[in-house]
Amino acid sequence: MGPSPKKPVRSGLRPRSQLVYSFGPLGTDGDKSLRDLLGGKGANLAEMCRLGLPVPPGFTISTDVCAHFVRRGGRYPAGLEKSVAAALRKIEREVGKRFGDSENPLLVSVRSGARVSMPGMMDTVLNLGLNDAAVAGLARRSRSERFAWDAYRRFVQMYADVVLGLKAERETGADPFDEVLERTKRERGMRSDTELSAEDLRGIVARFKSIVLERTGAPFPESPEAQLWGAIGAVFGSWNNARAIAYRSMNRIPDSWGTAVNVVAMVFGNLGPTSGTGVAFTRDPSTGEKRFYGEYLMNAQGEDVVAGIRTPLSVETLERESPRAWRELLRVQKLLERHYRDMQDVEFTIEDGRLWMLQCRTGKRTGIAAVRIAVDMVRERRITRREALLRVDPESLDQLLQPVFAQTELDAARADGRLLTRGLNAGPGAASGRIAFSAKTAREAAAGGTSVLLVRNETSPEDILGMQASVGILTARGGMTSHAALVGRQMGKVCVVGAGDLEIDAAARTLRVDGKTFTGGDWVSIDGSTGEVFAGRLSTRPSEVVASLSSAARPGGSRKTGKKRETPIVQAFGELLKWADEARVLKVRANADQPDQCSNAVAFGAEGVGLCRTEHMFFGDAKIDAVREMILAESEAEREAALAKLLPLQRADFEGIFLAMGPRPVTIRTLDPPLHEFLPQDEATIRKLAKDMGVKPERLHFTVESLHEQNPMLGHRGCRLGITRPEITRMQARAIFEAACDVAKKTGKKPNVEIMIPLVGTKRELDLQAELVRATAEIVFREKKRRIPYLVGTMIELPRAALLAGEIAKTAEFFSFGTNDLTQTTYGISRDDGGKFLPAYLEEKIYADDPFATLDREGVGRLMSIAAAEGRKARPKMKIGICGEHGGDPRSIEFCHTLELDYVSCSPFRVPLARLAAEVPSHSVVRRPSLCRTTWTAIFERSEPRFSWLRWTGCGAWPAVSSETRTWPTTSHRTHGCKRSNDLRGTRGAVPA
Ligand code: ADP
Ligand code: MG
Ligand code: MG
């Protein structure tokens, strides 16, 4: 129940400042800069008034009043009643009607409006001020009995719902008011509300009022004054309703903001066939195309358009139906877009052929539209390149890269009850395929030309080729950084993980979910953007951008032919990222380990490979057997024989990678995972392998068991393998250097090689491995009669390595933060098992974010900053990067900036995102002497619901900051010659806690 409608109770406090802001022909107090005080809706109504646009007059009660109301348990500040009365008198003068008059009544709408638009706040009440006397006056004045009773009917219904809290029944969803309406229409054999006569409506209003009396025990308030204060109280009260609180905590909106209340003179779209109401966007919000886009309904009011009561018409048909209003609307929308310098979303009403504007705000848009609009507006010289870069949320670029389901397909599938369950949306996009329960069947089916969806409880490195062959991956267990999610993203696969409802019996080849049973070969579809799983097949297509980039990546692709027949969105995407690249200091590399992944990465703009996981290469058909023979070999001779088989295979892989990457740096990590991951597990494979190796199966069994580890992640892996089995490192180094020499010979250009030793915790470990690598290099160079420059460095992925980075840097020529393992080892949480309790930890707010998804600045970040500082002290020009999954997370990338890393490395499909995210911080260099000692200098809002903040890191030179545009002038490191680490950097992100 809303608060009871009564006059405001004064708290006895003096008003702090102006409480009520009028807008209208007799004077407008506010403007768009007062958004914090007037809310978005109020500030923009005032601004439109100032621009001379047709806005019905009204006033806004400030958000300060809301704060007061909330703090003082529903009391208003002193003077509010008087100010509201005065503002109301002003509207009366402006429109020539009187509030509460029975001859010529002024009707108003009461609307909420916070700084950012907030679903969950109180709905709007229209036509407030009507009662039994006023409705008669309205009928006489408008010469339409029907219109007056239609307005009254709407008012009573809205007020009862919104202010008096007479909501629909929770369980049945039955709304008593709608029932009355529907019953009357049924009895009269009518389809649409517009067919109801004045008499029908009069009867309906009477019924409505008796429902109110029955349910609340009090009659419907007749006094317009009481109605008004009832509605105002309900708006302020709704700031603290459960829906609003939940929305705020999800979106990190401070509770202290409060909402404003807007009271606006009514204009009527339901006055007859020459009136109507609509909503429109100045550009297409889903494609970004520059065309005026909208919908409207004639003879309708308020939300009728969105409520789906009748099918609305496309806004262009207004040209015929109401030419004068159409021309005016076109003029207004152009003017608004130019004024706000961004795509606007507007609400309008046509009253008897005359246009009125009721709202404007920056329009919400898809990622695709965001890119296109930003780039188009630069071309139109409306905004600068840097503004364009800030307007696109890096995360939203994913939408441009993933295959898509058509919306109609999704709607149909949901309506048919084909939605089975939901998991985590680990790899965005859409995929339909036939179920395969093992990597092997996936590969076989894919080889036969089938689209395959790999469905497993969880995946392991053994499944890599099956994953590669599948269009999508669906798992029942695991989190956002599980093997399936990580590898899926690197491959750009659509991926839904941790769908706990799935009961997978891989042996029986059945999947049970939602009471249905599927077997291998059945069609299932997954939407990696929402995590939804559907029965059956939904058609997909690759996104335009990917189609274009991958054709460009192929030799002789479209780019090379010189002819550009790119779609506007592909062009815009390319252009935006080009601007980001030009402004960027932080480099972006990709985690890739196959030649085709490398070509893709380059097409997506990667400037190198930051992590090439050599073990992924071992899972190829011929290779895995040789790897197993190498691991299981008992004598030096056996092992050398197995390594000799592997050498040419690895060399071929590296050649492909070097060819794809050209002169760009390629960081290759020596073998890292525990050996047991490569071992055959099932009896049949062991027997076959024993036969191939010419040994007894029993012996193989024994060896396999002896390699078993309790805790493989902390076991015999990383450089520990290279230390105990130096021949592996030696073989890998040889393969790398031979490939590099061969490519140099073939192409005349030397590859840029960086060899990275994993899981180092002491300098001595690295010394031993580096020595091996260097010795092997010398041998190969002598054999090949050429030298290739190369670096040997290490991953920093153990806390000990971070703490002793100064020591390790004496040997290491570069560092790369392996933040997956570093997070794992810092927290002491196994990434593979964390899924069991991490959700509870997030729920309990023990962790603010999943540390495997967003870098933990306080703990892991502290270790990183120690390592970076000590490393640079020992070796000033040392290259430092990051190659964990965090390299593709915008918030983590921002942190990499504060450490002044040289590059971030992420999966190829995250590269465009990283290019954009990596640009912003480095380029927003602002300097102001007065801010020297503050840590957080400014928090300012850019556009809802995103915020930007600036962070002081200390600097020495100061151009002025323009407060007028509320954006900060920017200079890059290079142009102002400021020492790195000595700037104030601005970036996107959430408001810092
Ligand atoms: P929301 O924030 O949910 O969009 P609004 O306050 O903007 O709510 O209003 C809901 C609907 O009522 C919109 O279609 C708006 O155009 C219409 N409306 C609001 N005030 C008036 C008014 N004074 N005259 C006519 N229509 C109005
Ligand atoms: Mg609105
Ligand atoms: Mg690691």
Side-chain angles (χ1 to χ4, degrees), residues 21-23 45 56-61 84 87-88 91 99 106-112 128 228 231-232 260-266:
Y21 290 73
S22 287
F23 51 88
L45 282 167
F59 60 86
T60 304
I61 307 177
V84 166
L88 207 51
I91 306 180
F99 191 60
L106 166 69
L107 304 188
V108 295
S109 62
V110 177
R111 321 165 66 183
S112 62
L128 187 140
L228 179 63
I232 293 173
V261 176
N262 300 287
V263 176
V264 187
M266 285 303 301

PDB file of all heavy atoms in Angstrom, residues 21-23 45 56-61 84 87-88 91 99 106-112 128 228 231-232 260-266:
ATOM      1  N   TYR A  21      11.414  23.113  -9.076  1.00  0.00           N
ATOM      2  CA  TYR A  21      11.927  23.794 -10.273  1.00  0.00           C
ATOM      3  C   TYR A  21      10.869  23.759 -11.358  1.00  0.00           C
ATOM      4  O   TYR A  21      10.470  22.684 -11.809  1.00  0.00           O
ATOM      5  CB  TYR A  21      13.193  23.086 -10.769  1.00  0.00           C
ATOM      6  CG  TYR A  21      14.371  23.262  -9.856  1.00  0.00           C
ATOM      7  CD1 TYR A  21      14.421  22.594  -8.627  1.00  0.00           C
ATOM      8  CD2 TYR A  21      15.432  24.079 -10.207  1.00  0.00           C
ATOM      9  CE1 TYR A  21      15.503  22.764  -7.773  1.00  0.00           C
ATOM     10  CE2 TYR A  21      16.525  24.248  -9.366  1.00  0.00           C
ATOM     11  CZ  TYR A  21      16.555  23.595  -8.143  1.00  0.00           C
ATOM     12  OH  TYR A  21      17.616  23.760  -7.311  1.00  0.00           O
ATOM     13  N   SER A  22      10.422  24.932 -11.799  1.00  0.00           N
ATOM     14  CA  SER A  22       9.364  25.004 -12.816  1.00  0.00           C
ATOM     15  C   SER A  22       9.949  24.936 -14.213  1.00  0.00           C
ATOM     16  O   SER A  22      11.104  25.319 -14.438  1.00  0.00           O
ATOM     17  CB  SER A  22       8.610  26.321 -12.677  1.00  0.00           C
ATOM     18  OG  SER A  22       7.789  26.281 -11.536  1.00  0.00           O
ATOM     19  N   PHE A  23       9.150  24.482 -15.151  1.00  0.00           N
ATOM     20  CA  PHE A  23       9.493  24.665 -16.568  1.00  0.00           C
ATOM     21  C   PHE A  23       8.225  25.027 -17.334  1.00  0.00           C
ATOM     22  O   PHE A  23       7.156  24.507 -17.033  1.00  0.00           O
ATOM     23  CB  PHE A  23      10.172  23.434 -17.165  1.00  0.00           C
ATOM     24  CG  PHE A  23       9.446  22.126 -16.937  1.00  0.00           C
ATOM     25  CD1 PHE A  23       8.467  21.689 -17.825  1.00  0.00           C
ATOM     26  CD2 PHE A  23       9.737  21.339 -15.839  1.00  0.00           C
ATOM     27  CE1 PHE A  23       7.801  20.479 -17.629  1.00  0.00           C
ATOM     28  CE2 PHE A  23       9.072  20.137 -15.625  1.00  0.00           C
ATOM     29  CZ  PHE A  23       8.101  19.706 -16.516  1.00  0.00           C
ATOM     30  N   LEU A  45      13.417  17.706 -19.533  1.00  0.00           N
ATOM     31  CA  LEU A  45      12.195  18.466 -19.825  1.00  0.00           C
ATOM     32  C   LEU A  45      12.517  19.961 -19.770  1.00  0.00           C
ATOM     33  O   LEU A  45      12.117  20.738 -20.645  1.00  0.00           O
ATOM     34  CB  LEU A  45      11.092  18.120 -18.815  1.00  0.00           C
ATOM     35  CG  LEU A  45      10.358  16.787 -19.064  1.00  0.00           C
ATOM     36  CD1 LEU A  45       9.527  16.385 -17.853  1.00  0.00           C
ATOM     37  CD2 LEU A  45       9.469  16.867 -20.308  1.00  0.00           C
ATOM     38  N   PRO A  56       4.660  20.440 -22.549  1.00  0.00           N
ATOM     39  CA  PRO A  56       3.629  20.948 -21.642  1.00  0.00           C
ATOM     40  C   PRO A  56       4.293  21.432 -20.351  1.00  0.00           C
ATOM     41  O   PRO A  56       5.250  20.819 -19.888  1.00  0.00           O
ATOM     42  CB  PRO A  56       2.733  19.729 -21.394  1.00  0.00           C
ATOM     43  CG  PRO A  56       3.479  18.547 -21.885  1.00  0.00           C
ATOM     44  CD  PRO A  56       4.513  19.014 -22.853  1.00  0.00           C
ATOM     45  N   PRO A  57       3.836  22.554 -19.776  1.00  0.00           N
ATOM     46  CA  PRO A  57       4.499  23.097 -18.594  1.00  0.00           C
ATOM     47  C   PRO A  57       4.366  22.179 -17.385  1.00  0.00           C
ATOM     48  O   PRO A  57       3.464  21.349 -17.331  1.00  0.00           O
ATOM     49  CB  PRO A  57       3.767  24.419 -18.354  1.00  0.00           C
ATOM     50  CG  PRO A  57       2.449  24.251 -19.012  1.00  0.00           C
ATOM     51  CD  PRO A  57       2.671  23.339 -20.184  1.00  0.00           C
ATOM     52  N   GLY A  58       5.261  22.361 -16.442  1.00  0.00           N
ATOM     53  CA  GLY A  58       5.225  21.520 -15.248  1.00  0.00           C
ATOM     54  C   GLY A  58       6.288  21.931 -14.259  1.00  0.00           C
ATOM     55  O   GLY A  58       6.882  23.008 -14.393  1.00  0.00           O
ATOM     56  N   PHE A  59       6.529  21.086 -13.269  1.00  0.00           N
ATOM     57  CA  PHE A  59       7.601  21.357 -12.321  1.00  0.00           C
ATOM     58  C   PHE A  59       8.194  20.052 -11.803  1.00  0.00           C
ATOM     59  O   PHE A  59       7.577  18.986 -11.927  1.00  0.00           O
ATOM     60  CB  PHE A  59       7.124  22.240 -11.161  1.00  0.00           C
ATOM     61  CG  PHE A  59       5.998  21.642 -10.353  1.00  0.00           C
ATOM     62  CD1 PHE A  59       6.255  20.777  -9.295  1.00  0.00           C
ATOM     63  CD2 PHE A  59       4.672  21.971 -10.644  1.00  0.00           C
ATOM     64  CE1 PHE A  59       5.216  20.243  -8.541  1.00  0.00           C
ATOM     65  CE2 PHE A  59       3.626  21.441  -9.889  1.00  0.00           C
ATOM     66  CZ  PHE A  59       3.885  20.569  -8.836  1.00  0.00           C
ATOM     67  N   THR A  60       9.408  20.185 -11.262  1.00  0.00           N
ATOM     68  CA  THR A  60      10.124  19.022 -10.753  1.00  0.00           C
ATOM     69  C   THR A  60      10.440  19.246  -9.283  1.00  0.00           C
ATOM     70  O   THR A  60      10.975  20.294  -8.920  1.00  0.00           O
ATOM     71  CB  THR A  60      11.440  18.848 -11.537  1.00  0.00           C
ATOM     72  OG1 THR A  60      11.132  18.746 -12.924  1.00  0.00           O
ATOM     73  CG2 THR A  60      12.178  17.587 -11.097  1.00  0.00           C
ATOM     74  N   ILE A  61      10.093  18.266  -8.438  1.00  0.00           N
ATOM     75  CA  ILE A  61      10.484  18.325  -7.025  1.00  0.00           C
ATOM     76  C   ILE A  61      11.824  17.590  -6.919  1.00  0.00           C
ATOM     77  O   ILE A  61      11.963  16.465  -7.401  1.00  0.00           O
ATOM     78  CB  ILE A  61       9.432  17.650  -6.131  1.00  0.00           C
ATOM     79  CG1 ILE A  61       8.048  18.243  -6.408  1.00  0.00           C
ATOM     80  CG2 ILE A  61       9.804  17.788  -4.661  1.00  0.00           C
ATOM     81  CD1 ILE A  61       6.922  17.582  -5.619  1.00  0.00           C
ATOM     82  N   VAL A  84       5.153  23.938  -4.002  1.00  0.00           N
ATOM     83  CA  VAL A  84       4.364  23.140  -4.934  1.00  0.00           C
ATOM     84  C   VAL A  84       3.116  23.915  -5.350  1.00  0.00           C
ATOM     85  O   VAL A  84       2.767  23.981  -6.535  1.00  0.00           O
ATOM     86  CB  VAL A  84       3.985  21.767  -4.311  1.00  0.00           C
ATOM     87  CG1 VAL A  84       2.896  21.079  -5.116  1.00  0.00           C
ATOM     88  CG2 VAL A  84       5.221  20.883  -4.210  1.00  0.00           C
ATOM     89  N   ALA A  87       4.058  26.596  -7.800  1.00  0.00           N
ATOM     90  CA  ALA A  87       4.402  26.056  -9.116  1.00  0.00           C
ATOM     91  C   ALA A  87       3.127  25.620  -9.848  1.00  0.00           C
ATOM     92  O   ALA A  87       3.007  25.775 -11.067  1.00  0.00           O
ATOM     93  CB  ALA A  87       5.359  24.885  -8.962  1.00  0.00           C
ATOM     94  N   LEU A  88       2.179  25.087  -9.090  1.00  0.00           N
ATOM     95  CA  LEU A  88       0.925  24.653  -9.684  1.00  0.00           C
ATOM     96  C   LEU A  88       0.149  25.866 -10.214  1.00  0.00           C
ATOM     97  O   LEU A  88      -0.407  25.825 -11.322  1.00  0.00           O
ATOM     98  CB  LEU A  88       0.115  23.916  -8.608  1.00  0.00           C
ATOM     99  CG  LEU A  88      -0.887  22.864  -9.036  1.00  0.00           C
ATOM    100  CD1 LEU A  88      -0.278  21.844  -9.990  1.00  0.00           C
ATOM    101  CD2 LEU A  88      -1.437  22.142  -7.796  1.00  0.00           C
ATOM    102  N   ILE A  91       1.508  26.845 -13.554  1.00  0.00           N
ATOM    103  CA  ILE A  91       1.006  26.022 -14.670  1.00  0.00           C
ATOM    104  C   ILE A  91      -0.410  26.466 -15.039  1.00  0.00           C
ATOM    105  O   ILE A  91      -0.756  26.570 -16.220  1.00  0.00           O
ATOM    106  CB  ILE A  91       0.962  24.520 -14.305  1.00  0.00           C
ATOM    107  CG1 ILE A  91       2.315  24.030 -13.817  1.00  0.00           C
ATOM    108  CG2 ILE A  91       0.507  23.689 -15.501  1.00  0.00           C
ATOM    109  CD1 ILE A  91       2.329  22.554 -13.433  1.00  0.00           C
ATOM    110  N   PHE A  99      -6.475  23.730 -11.358  1.00  0.00           N
ATOM    111  CA  PHE A  99      -6.404  22.424 -10.714  1.00  0.00           C
ATOM    112  C   PHE A  99      -7.599  22.312  -9.764  1.00  0.00           C
ATOM    113  O   PHE A  99      -7.818  23.190  -8.932  1.00  0.00           O
ATOM    114  CB  PHE A  99      -5.089  22.318  -9.934  1.00  0.00           C
ATOM    115  CG  PHE A  99      -4.757  20.937  -9.445  1.00  0.00           C
ATOM    116  CD1 PHE A  99      -4.591  19.893 -10.350  1.00  0.00           C
ATOM    117  CD2 PHE A  99      -4.593  20.675  -8.090  1.00  0.00           C
ATOM    118  CE1 PHE A  99      -4.264  18.621  -9.914  1.00  0.00           C
ATOM    119  CE2 PHE A  99      -4.275  19.405  -7.650  1.00  0.00           C
ATOM    120  CZ  PHE A  99      -4.112  18.373  -8.559  1.00  0.00           C
ATOM    121  N   LEU A 106      -7.505  21.603 -14.662  1.00  0.00           N
ATOM    122  CA  LEU A 106      -6.132  21.279 -15.065  1.00  0.00           C
ATOM    123  C   LEU A 106      -5.847  19.847 -14.602  1.00  0.00           C
ATOM    124  O   LEU A 106      -6.018  19.527 -13.442  1.00  0.00           O
ATOM    125  CB  LEU A 106      -5.145  22.233 -14.371  1.00  0.00           C
ATOM    126  CG  LEU A 106      -3.673  21.801 -14.423  1.00  0.00           C
ATOM    127  CD1 LEU A 106      -3.117  21.883 -15.840  1.00  0.00           C
ATOM    128  CD2 LEU A 106      -2.816  22.641 -13.479  1.00  0.00           C
ATOM    129  N   LEU A 107      -5.442  19.022 -15.551  1.00  0.00           N
ATOM    130  CA  LEU A 107      -5.045  17.665 -15.177  1.00  0.00           C
ATOM    131  C   LEU A 107      -3.522  17.560 -15.312  1.00  0.00           C
ATOM    132  O   LEU A 107      -2.934  18.229 -16.160  1.00  0.00           O
ATOM    133  CB  LEU A 107      -5.709  16.625 -16.072  1.00  0.00           C
ATOM    134  CG  LEU A 107      -7.233  16.667 -16.135  1.00  0.00           C
ATOM    135  CD1 LEU A 107      -7.744  15.442 -16.904  1.00  0.00           C
ATOM    136  CD2 LEU A 107      -7.863  16.706 -14.749  1.00  0.00           C
ATOM    137  N   VAL A 108      -2.907  16.731 -14.474  1.00  0.00           N
ATOM    138  CA  VAL A 108      -1.445  16.582 -14.537  1.00  0.00           C
ATOM    139  C   VAL A 108      -1.052  15.110 -14.525  1.00  0.00           C
ATOM    140  O   VAL A 108      -1.843  14.244 -14.158  1.00  0.00           O
ATOM    141  CB  VAL A 108      -0.751  17.285 -13.336  1.00  0.00           C
ATOM    142  CG1 VAL A 108      -0.954  18.781 -13.377  1.00  0.00           C
ATOM    143  CG2 VAL A 108      -1.218  16.686 -12.018  1.00  0.00           C
ATOM    144  N   SER A 109       0.168  14.877 -14.922  1.00  0.00           N
ATOM    145  CA  SER A 109       0.746  13.546 -14.711  1.00  0.00           C
ATOM    146  C   SER A 109       1.772  13.678 -13.593  1.00  0.00           C
ATOM    147  O   SER A 109       2.378  14.735 -13.427  1.00  0.00           O
ATOM    148  CB  SER A 109       1.410  13.027 -15.981  1.00  0.00           C
ATOM    149  OG  SER A 109       2.480  13.859 -16.370  1.00  0.00           O
ATOM    150  N   VAL A 110       1.935  12.614 -12.815  1.00  0.00           N
ATOM    151  CA  VAL A 110       2.956  12.591 -11.770  1.00  0.00           C
ATOM    152  C   VAL A 110       3.920  11.473 -12.130  1.00  0.00           C
ATOM    153  O   VAL A 110       3.523  10.312 -12.268  1.00  0.00           O
ATOM    154  CB  VAL A 110       2.331  12.361 -10.381  1.00  0.00           C
ATOM    155  CG1 VAL A 110       3.418  12.279  -9.322  1.00  0.00           C
ATOM    156  CG2 VAL A 110       1.362  13.487 -10.058  1.00  0.00           C
ATOM    157  N   ARG A 111       5.174  11.837 -12.332  1.00  0.00           N
ATOM    158  CA  ARG A 111       6.146  10.901 -12.902  1.00  0.00           C
ATOM    159  C   ARG A 111       7.408  10.873 -12.058  1.00  0.00           C
ATOM    160  O   ARG A 111       7.905  11.901 -11.653  1.00  0.00           O
ATOM    161  CB  ARG A 111       6.519  11.355 -14.322  1.00  0.00           C
ATOM    162  CG  ARG A 111       5.356  11.892 -15.113  1.00  0.00           C
ATOM    163  CD  ARG A 111       5.790  12.654 -16.351  1.00  0.00           C
ATOM    164  NE  ARG A 111       6.443  11.835 -17.344  1.00  0.00           N
ATOM    165  CZ  ARG A 111       6.943  12.322 -18.470  1.00  0.00           C
ATOM    166  NH1 ARG A 111       6.892  13.615 -18.733  1.00  0.00           N
ATOM    167  NH2 ARG A 111       7.545  11.512 -19.325  1.00  0.00           N
ATOM    168  N   SER A 112       7.961   9.676 -11.851  1.00  0.00           N
ATOM    169  CA  SER A 112       9.224   9.590 -11.125  1.00  0.00           C
ATOM    170  C   SER A 112      10.359   9.823 -12.106  1.00  0.00           C
ATOM    171  O   SER A 112      10.155   9.807 -13.313  1.00  0.00           O
ATOM    172  CB  SER A 112       9.364   8.212 -10.487  1.00  0.00           C
ATOM    173  OG  SER A 112       9.379   7.232 -11.484  1.00  0.00           O
ATOM    174  N   LEU A 128      -4.274  13.043 -13.439  1.00  0.00           N
ATOM    175  CA  LEU A 128      -4.560  13.293 -12.037  1.00  0.00           C
ATOM    176  C   LEU A 128      -5.243  14.658 -11.887  1.00  0.00           C
ATOM    177  O   LEU A 128      -4.872  15.624 -12.555  1.00  0.00           O
ATOM    178  CB  LEU A 128      -3.268  13.226 -11.228  1.00  0.00           C
ATOM    179  CG  LEU A 128      -3.383  13.307  -9.713  1.00  0.00           C
ATOM    180  CD1 LEU A 128      -2.408  12.336  -9.065  1.00  0.00           C
ATOM    181  CD2 LEU A 128      -3.153  14.714  -9.202  1.00  0.00           C
ATOM    182  N   LEU A 228      -2.869  14.530  -5.455  1.00  0.00           N
ATOM    183  CA  LEU A 228      -1.525  14.951  -5.823  1.00  0.00           C
ATOM    184  C   LEU A 228      -0.511  14.538  -4.760  1.00  0.00           C
ATOM    185  O   LEU A 228       0.515  13.931  -5.058  1.00  0.00           O
ATOM    186  CB  LEU A 228      -1.486  16.469  -6.030  1.00  0.00           C
ATOM    187  CG  LEU A 228      -0.108  17.036  -6.402  1.00  0.00           C
ATOM    188  CD1 LEU A 228       0.360  16.475  -7.735  1.00  0.00           C
ATOM    189  CD2 LEU A 228      -0.144  18.560  -6.461  1.00  0.00           C
ATOM    190  N   ALA A 231       0.149  10.863  -4.696  1.00  0.00           N
ATOM    191  CA  ALA A 231       1.028  10.396  -5.769  1.00  0.00           C
ATOM    192  C   ALA A 231       2.477  10.791  -5.499  1.00  0.00           C
ATOM    193  O   ALA A 231       3.400   9.992  -5.709  1.00  0.00           O
ATOM    194  CB  ALA A 231       0.563  10.964  -7.104  1.00  0.00           C
ATOM    195  N   ILE A 232       2.689  12.015  -5.016  1.00  0.00           N
ATOM    196  CA  ILE A 232       4.065  12.458  -4.731  1.00  0.00           C
ATOM    197  C   ILE A 232       4.692  11.551  -3.671  1.00  0.00           C
ATOM    198  O   ILE A 232       5.822  11.060  -3.823  1.00  0.00           O
ATOM    199  CB  ILE A 232       4.081  13.938  -4.257  1.00  0.00           C
ATOM    200  CG1 ILE A 232       3.663  14.856  -5.405  1.00  0.00           C
ATOM    201  CG2 ILE A 232       5.463  14.321  -3.730  1.00  0.00           C
ATOM    202  CD1 ILE A 232       3.470  16.320  -4.995  1.00  0.00           C
ATOM    203  N   ALA A 260      13.555  12.199  -8.310  1.00  0.00           N
ATOM    204  CA  ALA A 260      12.784  13.438  -8.352  1.00  0.00           C
ATOM    205  C   ALA A 260      11.333  13.077  -8.683  1.00  0.00           C
ATOM    206  O   ALA A 260      11.046  11.947  -9.066  1.00  0.00           O
ATOM    207  CB  ALA A 260      13.357  14.367  -9.415  1.00  0.00           C
ATOM    208  N   VAL A 261      10.420  14.041  -8.501  1.00  0.00           N
ATOM    209  CA  VAL A 261       9.033  13.858  -8.940  1.00  0.00           C
ATOM    210  C   VAL A 261       8.726  14.941  -9.967  1.00  0.00           C
ATOM    211  O   VAL A 261       9.012  16.122  -9.727  1.00  0.00           O
ATOM    212  CB  VAL A 261       8.046  13.994  -7.765  1.00  0.00           C
ATOM    213  CG1 VAL A 261       6.611  13.891  -8.275  1.00  0.00           C
ATOM    214  CG2 VAL A 261       8.310  12.938  -6.715  1.00  0.00           C
ATOM    215  N   ASN A 262       8.186  14.521 -11.093  1.00  0.00           N
ATOM    216  CA  ASN A 262       7.802  15.493 -12.120  1.00  0.00           C
ATOM    217  C   ASN A 262       6.292  15.587 -12.197  1.00  0.00           C
ATOM    218  O   ASN A 262       5.613  14.558 -12.283  1.00  0.00           O
ATOM    219  CB  ASN A 262       8.333  15.058 -13.487  1.00  0.00           C
ATOM    220  CG  ASN A 262       9.841  14.960 -13.487  1.00  0.00           C
ATOM    221  OD1 ASN A 262      10.529  15.972 -13.467  1.00  0.00           O
ATOM    222  ND2 ASN A 262      10.356  13.735 -13.474  1.00  0.00           N
ATOM    223  N   VAL A 263       5.786  16.808 -12.138  1.00  0.00           N
ATOM    224  CA  VAL A 263       4.354  17.029 -12.291  1.00  0.00           C
ATOM    225  C   VAL A 263       4.186  17.826 -13.582  1.00  0.00           C
ATOM    226  O   VAL A 263       4.749  18.914 -13.719  1.00  0.00           O
ATOM    227  CB  VAL A 263       3.780  17.801 -11.088  1.00  0.00           C
ATOM    228  CG1 VAL A 263       2.302  18.104 -11.300  1.00  0.00           C
ATOM    229  CG2 VAL A 263       3.994  16.994  -9.811  1.00  0.00           C
ATOM    230  N   VAL A 264       3.473  17.248 -14.541  1.00  0.00           N
ATOM    231  CA  VAL A 264       3.422  17.845 -15.876  1.00  0.00           C
ATOM    232  C   VAL A 264       1.965  17.995 -16.323  1.00  0.00           C
ATOM    233  O   VAL A 264       1.173  17.057 -16.158  1.00  0.00           O
ATOM    234  CB  VAL A 264       4.160  16.951 -16.899  1.00  0.00           C
ATOM    235  CG1 VAL A 264       4.260  17.640 -18.255  1.00  0.00           C
ATOM    236  CG2 VAL A 264       5.539  16.563 -16.390  1.00  0.00           C
ATOM    237  N   ALA A 265       1.635  19.170 -16.869  1.00  0.00           N
ATOM    238  CA  ALA A 265       0.279  19.375 -17.381  1.00  0.00           C
ATOM    239  C   ALA A 265      -0.025  18.325 -18.438  1.00  0.00           C
ATOM    240  O   ALA A 265       0.814  18.030 -19.289  1.00  0.00           O
ATOM    241  CB  ALA A 265       0.159  20.768 -17.985  1.00  0.00           C
ATOM    242  N   MET A 266      -1.225  17.767 -18.387  1.00  0.00           N
ATOM    243  CA  MET A 266      -1.580  16.727 -19.354  1.00  0.00           C
ATOM    244  C   MET A 266      -1.821  17.310 -20.734  1.00  0.00           C
ATOM    245  O   MET A 266      -2.411  18.375 -20.879  1.00  0.00           O
ATOM    246  CB  MET A 266      -2.865  16.004 -18.919  1.00  0.00           C
ATOM    247  CG  MET A 266      -2.716  15.028 -17.789  1.00  0.00           C
ATOM    248  SD  MET A 266      -1.506  13.711 -18.085  1.00  0.00           S
ATOM    249  CE  MET A 266      -2.136  12.934 -19.556  1.00  0.00           C
TER     250      MET A 266
END
